[in-house]
Amino acid sequence: MSKQTRKPVVILMADDDEDDVVLTRDALQEARVINEFHSVPDGEKLLQFLRHENDYANRKDLPLPGLILLDLNMPKMDGRTVLKIIKNDPDLRTIPVVVLTTSDAEEDIIRSYSLGVNSYIRKPVIFSAMVDLMKTLGTYWLEIVELPPA
Amino acid sequence: MERGSTKLGENITLQTWILSGYAITLVAILIYGWSMFYSHQELQKSNQRLEQNHLIMVQAIALTRQVVDMETGLRGFLITGDEDFLEPYRSGRLSLATSISDLSRLIQDDIGQLNTLAEIERIVSEWHLRIANPEIHLRYQINRGELPLIRVSEVVQKRIGKKLMDTVRQHINAFISHEQKRNERRRLATEKDSENILYLSLLGALAAILIGATVIMIVIRSAAGPLTRMAETMSQLAKSSDFQLTADMVPSVQKRFLSKEVLLLNNTFYTMASRIDQSIKALNNEISQRKRVEVRVRNYSKMLAESNKDLESFAYVTSHDLQEPLRKIRAFGSRLQTQFAPALGEQGNDYLIRMISAADRMQQLINDLLALSRVTSKAKPFIPTPLSKTIEEVISDLETTISQASGIIEVDTLPTIHADSVQMRQLFQNLIGNALKYRHPDRTPEIRILNCGKVEEDGEFYEFTVSDNGIGFEQKYAKQIFGVFQRLHGRKEYAGSGIGLAICQKIVNSHNGHIHAQSEPDKGTVITIRLPLSPIKDDTHEQTNT
């Protein structure tokens, strides 16, 4: 019942790797997660998207996401920096952020959680695992948990 | 003379020099002494002759007196008739005869004088015969009164006797003057002789002094001079800081009159000095060269360590980064397979399967490389590691595989060593895993881990072996199997990329140990490992890569 009343959540992916964006989009489709999906190539653009600046001024077409998939290693502004800014911004800190990265460095994991990340996930190597991950993510973040109203 | 052109003295020993110098001086003194003695004798002889001469003259003068005595005696007897006067005549006659015989004896070598003497004797005899005897007889007749006294004056006045005697006196005078002349000659000669002897003795003394001095000079020169110079050079060398023999320290050796030993000593000394000088120079050269080499080696080791570090981090980073595109290849391959398989057709699907399988293999290789580089990049500090416990854990991990192969594992009690415990676990896991993997199809796998005890080799080592009864391999591959991605079997026969033993070797090396394999096809393999009891951790293994 409540599911239907909910406003569909927008998923925003911040990753400079277009392949990964394509694969993630495919994996989401495969996992039948049909939520609106957007992507930005770096940290700066992510902030612009969240703050409706420059190319992302159109609030109607580009609403605030309900879930951010964040890569750590990006050009211009990397995931660590942008994570810190988001979690320090009272308007944005409520948006759940899932780090999706290839880095398995302990330091990155610890730092991300201390900055307030909601989940830290390593990018799966095999596509089927990616599909499984998207399925799980969709179930958990989009169906199970209650998110604050946008 | 041994060599053709040796200079005087080169082969004469110092002893010979001194002895011959002494001999020459001695001979000179002897000659001088003998000549002095001879001269003295000669002088004595001429003195004797002078004395004899004098004697002759005295006798000759006596002769004159005797003649006068005889004349006077005869005249007195004639005048007085007294026989007493005849006494001097008679004694004069006797002594004259004696004197003449004496004289003739004294001058026996002078024929001229002998003749004169004989003439005197003849005239005196004639005088006796013709004058004295008749006159004496006459006087006796007068004394007896047989003749008158006047006959005396007649006889006397005839002066025959006087004439004869005057002749005698003339002869005697001639004789004397002859002797006088001779005497004068001899006296002069003797004087000259003594003068000569004086000069000769002075000259001889001078010569002896000169010879002696020369000999002493030569001896000094043959030994003392070079020795002094050597001593000076030695003290100069001793004072100099680097024992450097400069050209001015080597005197130009005057080889003449140098004694054999001194020449030898001299040559040996300067040869030795220049050899020492050369040796020191060579030594200094060697030292500086070694220092340079040392610095170079140190630089090389540093460069090598750095390059190793670079290479390892390169391997790590590369394999890490290579994974990214590979992941895409595999992912899109998989998308292609699931979504577009019908469209690709049979051949297309085959290619796709091969591509995906190659990508999977590449992923495996990258994982292996990462595992290998983690041996150094993820190294942990060495802690006391009980190897028995480590192996227990490994066996428990491999339990499924072991039971599937119904393998038997026997393990000795192993010591506790200082090591990276994670790596030790990996080491035994790879070794036991290999023993199971390469088991013989017809036999139950038997794996033995034996404790061989302590081994002394550049420090204390523990040796243990992991042996199996598997398929083994030819011993010529014993080194090769530890290489990265070295395989002895096709991928279809045995899976794996051939990294296991390479990791084992890297682990053992990073613990400063040794690992080697002994094997025979169809018999089995023995892997021997030596690990130091407390390995000194190498700096190059302490780096940590991200």
Side-chain angles (χ1 to χ4, degrees):
Chain A
M1 277 289 286
S2 59
K3 262 191 261 175
Q4 267 89 20
T5 56
R6 256 191 215 178
K7 200 178 163 189
V9 168
V10 172
I11 299 169
L12 176 62
M13 185 178 189
D15 198 324
D16 61 313
D17 190 329
E18 275 180 41
D19 293 342
D20 272 339
V21 174
V22 170
L23 286 170
T24 307
R25 200 194 293 269
D26 273 15
L28 282 168
Q29 270 176 21
E30 199 101 334
R32 315 229 176 267
V33 178
I34 49 158
N35 296 56
E36 197 179 328
F37 181 86
H38 294 280
S39 69
V40 285
D42 59 64
E44 278 181 10
K45 291 261 164 66
L46 173 59
L47 281 180
Q48 285 169 13
F49 189 104
L50 294 175
R51 287 167 180 167
H52 304 288
E53 291 166 357
N54 300 349
D55 297 342
Y56 309 99
N58 189 347
R59 279 172 191 262
K60 202 184 166 211
D61 289 347
L62 304 167
L64 265 185
L67 178 65
I68 299 170
L69 301 175
L70 181 68
D71 183 22
L72 287 182
N73 299 312
M74 289 186 293
K76 290 181 187 170
M77 187 188 284
D78 72 1
R80 299 166 191 87
T81 316
V82 84
L83 181 63
K84 198 175 173 184
I85 292 168
I86 290 169
K87 288 301 170 188
N88 282 324
D89 188 325
D91 295 336
L92 304 175
R93 66 160 66 119
T94 52
I95 304 170
V97 178
V98 172
V99 167
L100 191 60
T101 182
T102 50
S103 166
D104 62 346
E106 245 174 58
E107 197 195 333
D108 278 339
I109 299 170
I110 292 162
R111 199 167 151 202
S112 299
Y113 278 111
S114 69
L115 283 172
V117 82
N118 300 84
S119 290
Y120 189 105
I121 296 165
R122 279 197 63 201
K123 281 180 186 169
V125 177
I126 305 166
F127 183 74
S128 57
M130 188 77 170
V131 175
D132 289 346
L133 175 65
M134 287 306 136
K135 215 177 262 175
T136 311
L137 273 180
T139 310
Y140 184 77
W141 286 109
L142 309 176
E143 291 178 19
I144 297 170
V145 299
E146 289 289 339
L147 292 171
Chain B
M1 289 288 194
E2 285 164 16
R3 282 167 290 175
S5 63
T6 41
K7 297 233 170 65
L8 179 61
E10 246 179 86
N11 262 330
I12 302 172
T13 64
L14 186 62
Q15 194 181 356
T16 314
W17 266 118
I18 291 171
L19 282 178
S20 51
Y22 180 70
I24 289 166
T25 316
L26 200 69
V27 166
I29 288 169
L30 277 175
I31 290 169
Y32 173 63
W34 182 80
S35 66
M36 280 297 105
F37 176 75
Y38 180 77
S39 311
H40 185 256
Q41 284 237 323
E42 284 300 298
L43 205 62
Q44 226 170 7
K45 267 188 201 161
S46 36
N47 273 337
Q48 270 175 357
R49 275 199 291 272
L50 268 177
E51 234 169 76
Q52 197 183 0
N53 223 239
H54 185 70
L55 214 64
I56 291 166
M57 293 229 287
V58 168
Q59 291 278 42
I61 289 162
L63 218 58
T64 322
R65 201 181 58 242
Q66 285 150 1
V67 168
V68 172
D69 280 355
M70 283 195 297
E71 255 190 317
T72 319
L74 182 67
R75 200 177 295 141
F77 179 65
L78 272 180
I79 294 164
T80 61
D82 190 347
E83 270 194 55
D84 286 348
F85 282 103
L86 270 181
E87 185 49 36
Y89 165 79
R90 285 193 180 110
S91 67
R93 191 177 172 179
L94 271 173
S95 50
L96 186 104
T98 315
S99 289
I100 282 174
S101 81
D102 280 354
L103 275 172
S104 63
R105 215 173 44 245
L106 281 170
I107 52 153
Q108 57 188 339
D109 54 343
D110 192 337
I111 292 155
Q113 290 289 77
L114 275 177
N115 286 340
T116 311
L117 219 54
E119 186 65 15
I120 290 168
E121 206 174 8
R122 192 192 56 79
I123 296 171
V124 170
S125 300
E126 193 188 328
W127 181 74
H128 279 298
L129 209 68
R130 278 178 55 200
I131 309 299
N133 288 346
E135 281 183 5
I136 291 166
H137 185 71
L138 180 75
R139 187 60 208 196
Y140 276 127
Q141 281 180 321
I142 292 168
N143 278 1
R144 285 192 307 265
E146 291 169 5
L147 285 167
L149 192 63
I150 195 76
R151 287 289 295 274
V152 171
S153 66
E154 280 172 18
V155 170
V156 172
Q157 272 167 1
K158 276 183 192 166
R159 288 184 165 251
I160 300 163
K162 192 178 182 305
K163 271 176 199 165
L164 278 174
M165 275 317 193
D166 281 348
T167 316
V168 167
R169 263 188 290 277
Q170 272 168 15
H171 279 302
I172 288 173
N173 283 343
F175 185 87
I176 286 172
S177 93
H178 185 86
E179 283 303 319
Q180 259 177 339
K181 272 178 199 155
R182 184 147 64 185
N183 187 40
E184 188 61 19
R185 265 204 321 276
R186 279 191 175 158
R187 200 178 52 78
L188 280 172
T190 309
E191 265 176 23
K192 199 159 186 191
D193 275 358
S194 11
E195 213 171 84
N196 282 349
I197 286 167
L198 184 69
Y199 288 142
L200 197 71
S201 65
L202 279 174
L203 210 68
L206 209 65
I209 287 168
L210 273 175
I211 289 169
T214 311
V215 166
I216 285 168
M217 283 301 290
I218 287 169
V219 169
I220 285 173
R221 195 171 168 172
S222 73
L227 285 177
T228 311
R229 278 199 298 279
M230 263 183 265
E232 279 167 5
T233 310
M234 253 190 256
S235 78
Q236 248 177 301
L237 281 179
K239 274 181 211 157
S240 72
S241 55
D242 52 353
F243 208 87
Q244 204 170 12
L245 189 75
T246 50
D248 59 289
M249 286 191 206
V250 186
S252 53
V253 182
Q254 173 65 261
K255 282 187 178 170
R256 262 167 68 100
F257 300 122
L258 269 186
S259 82
K260 195 182 176 184
E261 309 94 321
V262 173
L263 191 68
L264 190 70
L265 186 66
N266 189 81
N267 291 345
T268 312
F269 170 70
Y270 289 107
T271 310
M272 190 184 74
S274 81
R275 281 248 180 88
I276 291 175
D277 181 32
Q278 279 165 9
S279 307
I280 286 176
K281 274 179 192 155
L283 215 62
N284 283 339
N285 265 347
E286 177 106 13
I287 287 170
S288 52
Q289 211 171 328
R290 278 196 189 173
K291 274 183 188 162
R292 278 201 297 276
V293 168
E294 211 174 283
V295 168
R296 222 180 299 157
V297 165
R298 219 180 296 140
N299 287 342
Y300 279 143
S301 325
K302 212 171 141 190
M303 275 163 62
L304 203 64
E306 274 169 14
S307 121
N308 261 341
K309 208 168 151 182
D310 285 352
L311 208 64
E312 273 162 6
S313 84
F314 174 79
Y316 184 81
V317 169
T318 322
S319 21
H320 200 263
D321 289 353
L322 281 175
Q323 284 193 110
E324 255 325 282
L326 189 61
R327 194 166 59 83
K328 308 293 169 45
I329 292 169
R330 296 176 74 204
F332 287 115
S334 162
R335 295 298 298 131
L336 212 55
Q337 207 171 22
T338 50
Q339 294 217 304
F340 302 97
L344 282 174
E346 201 181 321
Q347 204 174 12
N349 271 304
D350 182 45
Y351 290 162
L352 189 60
I353 286 163
R354 285 180 192 278
M355 192 190 85
I356 289 168
S357 135
D360 288 349
R361 210 160 65 239
M362 188 163 171
Q363 183 64 52
Q364 185 56 48
L365 290 175
I366 288 172
N367 287 347
D368 289 345
L369 269 183
L370 276 170
L372 187 69
S373 69
R374 273 193 203 104
V375 172
T376 47
S377 69
K378 302 285 179 192
K380 299 273 186 318
F382 288 180
I383 51 162
T385 305
L387 293 180
S388 288
K389 197 168 162 250
T390 306
I391 289 169
E392 233 171 76
E393 285 166 9
V394 170
I395 290 170
S396 131
D397 285 351
L398 293 171
E399 217 183 328
T400 324
T401 325
I402 295 166
S403 63
Q404 272 172 8
S406 46
I408 299 160
I409 301 191
E410 283 173 28
V411 185
D412 275 0
T413 309
L414 292 179
T416 298
I417 63 164
H418 270 83
D420 180 330
S421 56
V422 176
Q423 291 187 353
M424 281 302 113
R425 197 169 160 159
Q426 193 177 1
L427 173 69
F428 284 106
Q429 186 156 345
N430 288 0
L431 291 176
I432 296 169
N434 271 356
L436 289 167
K437 184 173 165 187
Y438 298 105
R439 63 178 175 264
H440 202 281
D442 308 334
R443 292 194 285 258
T444 305
E446 284 171 24
I447 302 164
R448 285 188 181 79
I449 299 173
L450 299 175
N451 179 0
C452 305
K454 280 185 197 174
V455 182
E456 282 288 327
E457 180 218 318
D458 245 12
E460 274 190 315
F461 281 80
Y462 255 118
E463 187 176 281
F464 38 88
T465 57
V466 179
S467 51
D468 62 50
N469 60 346
I471 56 169
F473 54 86
E474 281 184 66
Q475 185 60 29
K476 63 179 176 182
Y477 299 119
K479 279 214 169 99
Q480 199 181 312
I481 55 165
F482 291 104
V484 177
F485 299 140
Q486 292 294 327
R487 299 164 49 88
L488 298 180
H489 308 279
R491 268 196 304 281
K492 279 175 188 161
E493 296 170 78
Y494 291 96
S497 60
I499 201 79
L501 285 175
I503 289 174
C504 287
Q505 188 176 49
K506 201 156 185 191
I507 288 171
V508 172
N509 284 351
S510 78
H511 285 75
N512 294 317
H514 313 286
I515 185 167
H516 65 264
Q518 191 92 36
S519 188
E520 207 179 312
D522 281 335
K523 291 270 166 67
T525 304
V526 181
I527 305 279
T528 307
I529 297 160
R530 276 184 187 186
L531 287 174
L533 218 54
S534 20
I536 301 143
K537 207 162 193 298
D538 202 330
D539 287 349
T540 53
H541 294 134
E542 261 176 343
Q543 47 166 326
T544 42
N545 285 328
T546 51

